[in-house]
């Protein structure tokens, strides 16, 4: 089985993934993604009818805590300082529109 | 190599200086990305004054660079976080520090822990401790090599699909991937949340047990942590051991098989019962893993947007800011995994890939559960080969993934699994044997390993 991945498929996945790729990357990913999907496609031969999926393996269910404000390690100024650009105690980004 | 007790009766400042000197002497292996000398010496002075005491008082260690620590950067070996200085410390680090341990630096990894060789690091690969023309293994390659070179007596890392066990095997040290939920992941860069675990490297099973005992336990800041259960176990009497047949076929390197067989003989000689077991789902585990894990990665790594922290590309609008920052900040393997994740989660493919993988995962877990009704521990190699050559697998992602084929099953099932040194191949390359136990049997596995140290 061969999973054909077109250039448009790569561009669509890149858009879903918020990645602006270079042309070289797109070409390489077309091959790599196709090969990886070929490999994982072998799961289709398994009969899983009536099998429940496993999303987590802890056996824990609904771990509750009180809805109370807890102190945090880092302060507002310290977190703001991590942002590439700040202004007036806010994180600055380029214009949206 | 060194053990923890080499450091417990001497000055902490001397210990730190010694470890930092050893790190600098071994710089050519590129195990460490940064040293936190200033903070380490400050902490050491507190220990020497008696202001910090504990079971690891004055013992130096290194942490994989995806653990948030004070005293330097936390890069996840990525351009994205190249300048990132963590505003908090991981719970695992806090617990080790509370017992007097001193973090002297941060170790190399595949960027964001995506890989099995440490070649995906944005800052260049780590070299194997036994043969510098070969890979360290990964993704926690730097931690394994620093331990194997004797820079520190223990190191910490993360294991999502083999990232502690496989480099431990490639470098001849003990590597522990605990039961899912044993150690809090608070303050650790997330990869795949349903299989991410935190564990350690050490040169003896006894040292590894001490480190795990300190790090383990419930943490309100990671709601997936299990109620406290980890407690040092007695050396087991007679264990019923299952040797996994599918891991010992002719496809596996002959030197690896020979060393694992020798270890199995020593289990028999120690009085344990050994039988061959078979698992029909093992051949599907890698395919499950490379659907489920990229799906979780695509979600977890969406937080790297260039807005609040980390790398921001020079652009003029917000849409380019996301797209360009992520293109520049991620390595090729990060992008492959994110995009595979986007694919298997997208409408039209979700049922065929993601849901099918999670159902197959149930079948794999059922098979493990069935075996653990009869057997206490399952045994096999950690990886199908010893350390491979640098560059040997980098052109072919699927070939690189195949190095994880024996470690991902325990990860998908949340089981504890450890890598124990089992000698070397004729070329002198270390080989590890993998012991897999039932959930919460972590300490029993380590006790079994400890009882056989020196015997194999």
């Amino acid at each position: 089985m061969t999973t054909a991945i077109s250039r448009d498929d790569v561009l669509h996945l890149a858009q879903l993934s918020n990645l602006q790729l270079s042309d070289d990357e797109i070409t390489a990913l077309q091959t790599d993604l196709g090969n990886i999907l070929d490999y994982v496609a072998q799961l289709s031969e398994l009969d899983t009818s009536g099998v429940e999926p496993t999303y987590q393996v802890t056996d824990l269910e609904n771990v509750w805590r009180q809805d109370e404000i807890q102190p945090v390690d880092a302060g507002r100024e310290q977190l703001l300082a991590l942002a590439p650009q700040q202004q007036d105690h806010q994180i600055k980004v380029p214009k949206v529109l | 190599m060194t053990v923890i007790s080499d450091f417990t009766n001497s000055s902490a400042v001397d210990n730190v200086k010694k470890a930092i000197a050893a790190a600098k002497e071994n710089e050519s292996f590129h195990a460490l990305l940064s040293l936190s000398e200033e903070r380490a010496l400050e902490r050491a002075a507190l220990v020497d004054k008696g202001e910090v005491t504990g079971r690891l008082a004055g013992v130096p260690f290194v942490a994989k660079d995806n653990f948030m620590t004070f005293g330097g950067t936390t890069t996840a070996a990525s351009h994205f976080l190249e300048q990132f200085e963590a505003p908090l410390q991981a719970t695992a680090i806090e617990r080790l520090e509370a017992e007097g341990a001193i973090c002297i630096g941060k170790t190399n990894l595949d960027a964001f822990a995506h890989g099995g060789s440490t070649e995906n690091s944005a800052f260049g690969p780590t070299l194997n401790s036994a043969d510098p023309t070969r890979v360290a293994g990964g993704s926690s390659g730097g931690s394994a090599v620093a331990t194997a070179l004797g820079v520190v007596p223990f190191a910490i890392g993360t294991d999502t699909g083999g990232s502690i066990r496989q480099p431990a095997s490639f470098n001849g040290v003990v590597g522990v991937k605990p039961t899912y939920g044993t150690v809090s992941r608070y303050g650790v860069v997330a990869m795949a949340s349903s299989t991410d675990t935190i564990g350690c490297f050490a040169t003896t099973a006894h040292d590894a047990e001490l480190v795990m005992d300190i790090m383990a336990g419930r943490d309100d800041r990671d709601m997936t942590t299990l109620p406290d259960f980890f407690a040092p176990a007695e050396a087991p009497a007679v264990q019923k051991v299952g040797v996994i047949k599918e891991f010992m076929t002719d496809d596996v390197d002959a030197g690896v098989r020979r060393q694992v067989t020798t270890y199995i003989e020593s289990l028999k000689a120690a009085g344990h019962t050994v039988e061959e077991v078979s698992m029909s789902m093992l051949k599907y585990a890698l395919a499950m893993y490379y659907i489920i894990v990229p799906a979780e990665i695509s979600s977890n790594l969406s937080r790297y947007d260039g807005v609040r922290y980390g790398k921001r590309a020079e652009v003029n609008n917000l849409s380019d800011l996301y797209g360009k920052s992520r293109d520049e900040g991620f390595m090729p393997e990060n992008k492959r995994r994110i995009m595979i994740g986007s694919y298997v989660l997208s409408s039209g493919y979700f049922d065929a890939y993601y849901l099918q993988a999670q159902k197959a995962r149930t079948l794999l877990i059922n098979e493990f559960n069935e075996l653990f009704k009869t057997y206490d521990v399952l045994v096999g190699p950690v990886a199908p080969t010893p350390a491979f050559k640098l560059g040997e697998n980098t052109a072919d992602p699927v070939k690189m993934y195949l190095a994880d084929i024996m470690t991902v099953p325990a990860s998908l099932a949340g089981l504890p699994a450890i890598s124990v040194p089992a000698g070397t191949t004729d070329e002198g390359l270390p080989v590890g044997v993998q012991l897999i136990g039932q959930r919460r049997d972590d300490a029993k596995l380590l006790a079994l390993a400890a009882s056989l140290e020196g015997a194999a």
Side-chain angles (χ1 to χ4, degrees):
Chain A
M1 184 158 90
T2 305
T3 315
I5 294 289
S6 69
R7 194 176 173 83
D8 282 348
D9 291 336
V10 175
L11 289 172
H12 176 60
L13 289 173
Q15 195 190 3
L16 290 175
S17 309
N18 252 328
L19 287 165
Q20 287 184 11
L21 304 168
S22 67
D23 278 352
D24 287 353
E25 287 183 297
I26 293 166
T27 309
L29 280 161
Q30 213 179 318
T31 311
D32 289 347
L33 298 187
N35 289 340
I36 295 165
L37 290 169
D38 267 355
Y39 180 82
V40 300
Q42 61 178 290
L43 283 191
S44 63
E45 72 193 48
L46 269 178
D47 180 6
T48 55
S49 46
V51 178
E52 287 294 315
T54 297
Y55 292 114
Q56 58 100 346
V57 293
T58 61
D59 299 344
L60 297 174
E61 281 181 30
N62 295 344
V63 181
W64 301 100
R65 63 167 174 76
Q66 292 300 311
D67 187 17
E68 289 168 349
I69 295 170
Q70 302 288 333
V72 292
D73 302 303
R76 180 188 166 90
E77 293 307 315
Q78 205 183 351
L79 293 175
L80 273 172
L82 293 172
Q85 277 187 290
Q86 320 99 28
Q87 189 182 317
D88 303 331
H89 303 290
Q90 313 223 28
I91 293 169
K92 190 177 176 184
V93 292
K95 65 180 179 202
V96 177
L97 294 171
Chain B
M1 289 195 261
T2 60
V3 292
I4 286 172
S5 61
D6 292 342
F7 294 86
T8 45
N9 287 314
S10 43
S11 140
V13 169
D14 288 350
N15 289 343
V16 165
K17 285 182 177 164
K18 193 172 124 191
I20 286 174
K24 287 178 179 169
E25 274 165 38
N26 289 294
E27 239 166 31
S28 62
F29 288 91
H30 200 227
L32 277 96
L33 293 177
S34 61
L35 287 168
S36 45
E37 194 163 354
E38 196 182 324
R39 186 166 191 278
L41 286 170
E42 279 170 22
R43 299 284 310 170
L46 292 178
V47 171
D48 283 341
K49 279 188 226 158
E51 288 177 27
V52 179
T53 57
R55 288 177 282 173
L56 292 174
V59 179
F61 73 100
V62 289
K64 189 176 182 178
D65 207 16
N66 57 354
F67 285 79
M68 291 201 212
T69 57
F70 295 146
T73 50
T74 296
T75 68
S78 71
H79 290 304
F80 218 113
L81 298 176
E82 197 164 354
Q83 312 287 336
F84 181 74
E85 292 198 23
L88 52 89
Q89 292 208 111
T91 298
I93 300 284
E94 291 280 310
R95 289 189 176 182
L96 291 167
E97 281 198 345
E99 292 277 357
I102 298 163
C103 182
I104 64 151
K106 307 294 286 293
T107 59
N108 200 8
L109 62 149
D110 291 291
F112 291 102
H114 303 174
S117 69
T118 312
E119 291 169 292
N120 295 331
S121 166
F123 311 120
T126 296
L127 311 185
N128 186 277
S129 60
D131 177 352
T133 68
R134 292 176 184 269
V135 300
S139 65
S140 313
S143 285
V145 169
T147 307
L149 293 172
V151 171
V152 284
F154 78 93
I156 60 173
T158 56
D159 188 317
T160 301
S163 281
I164 288 175
R165 288 163 283 162
Q166 186 250 35
S169 172
F170 284 8
N171 292 282
V173 295
V174 176
V176 183
K177 173 222 138 16
T179 300
Y180 180 84
T182 302
V183 180
S184 168
R185 301 173 300 183
Y186 179 73
V188 179
V189 175
M191 174 179 165
S193 299
S194 83
T195 67
D196 280 349
T197 62
I198 284 162
C200 71
F201 297 88
T203 60
T204 69
H206 178 261
D207 279 359
E209 183 188 60
L210 174 59
V211 173
M212 293 310 298
D213 189 33
I214 289 168
M215 292 198 295
R218 174 96 182 99
D219 179 12
D220 282 344
R221 294 189 288 190
D222 177 357
M223 293 302 241
T224 62
T225 45
L226 297 170
D228 295 355
F229 73 90
F230 194 99
E234 291 297 309
V238 176
Q239 300 258 294
K240 195 143 191 206
V241 179
V243 178
I244 301 170
K245 186 177 127 188
E246 287 77 9
F247 285 177
M248 295 294 275
T249 64
D250 290 348
D251 294 339
V252 178
D253 178 271
V256 169
R257 271 184 286 143
R258 184 190 67 196
Q259 292 311 117
V260 172
T261 303
T262 305
Y263 193 88
I264 291 164
E265 290 306 317
S266 68
L267 280 166
K268 286 183 194 163
H272 302 291
T273 314
V274 179
E275 286 172 11
E276 190 177 79
V277 300
S278 175
M279 290 183 73
S280 66
M281 289 301 294
L282 285 178
K283 64 175 173 177
Y284 297 110
L286 195 69
M288 292 175 216
Y289 183 85
Y290 279 100
I291 291 171
I292 295 166
V293 164
E296 295 182 17
I297 285 171
S298 73
S299 168
N300 267 328
L301 270 63
S302 64
R303 74 189 67 184
Y304 301 104
D305 56 10
V307 173
R308 294 152 299 159
Y309 54 83
K311 185 173 182 62
R312 180 182 288 188
E314 297 288 330
V315 292
N316 296 320
N317 65 65
L318 195 61
S319 145
D320 286 352
L321 185 148
Y322 297 143
K324 280 279 171 232
S325 299
R326 288 166 65 79
D327 187 47
E328 291 172 15
F330 290 135
M331 297 295 283
E333 180 61 15
N334 304 136
K335 295 174 199 174
R336 282 194 280 267
R337 293 190 186 202
I338 289 168
M339 290 174 71
I340 290 288
S342 297
Y343 184 90
V344 300
L345 290 174
S346 56
S347 69
Y349 298 106
F350 181 89
D351 285 2
Y353 288 92
Y354 185 71
L355 192 60
Q356 177 73 351
Q358 299 287 30
K359 287 178 177 174
R361 186 183 196 175
T362 304
L363 297 175
L364 174 74
I365 292 170
N366 290 347
E367 248 185 25
F368 271 122
N369 288 342
E370 201 54 43
L371 281 176
F372 282 126
K373 285 180 185 165
T374 309
Y375 300 94
D376 300 302
V377 53
L378 302 177
V379 176
V382 175
T385 65
F388 40 91
K389 290 274 187 186
L390 287 157
E392 190 177 325
N393 291 339
T394 42
D396 183 350
V398 173
K399 207 173 157 206
M400 187 70 93
Y401 295 171
L402 287 167
D404 302 340
I405 201 157
M406 292 162 172
T407 45
V408 297
S411 297
L412 289 166
L415 303 171
I418 64 176
S419 175
V420 181
T424 62
T425 64
D426 290 337
E427 293 164 284
L429 301 173
V431 173
V433 62
Q434 183 175 207
L435 307 178
I436 304 173
Q438 302 197 52
R439 297 182 66 223
R440 296 181 175 79
D441 272 356
D442 309 47
K444 269 170 71 182
L445 291 180
L446 286 164
L448 177 63
S451 72
L452 286 170
E453 270 170 8

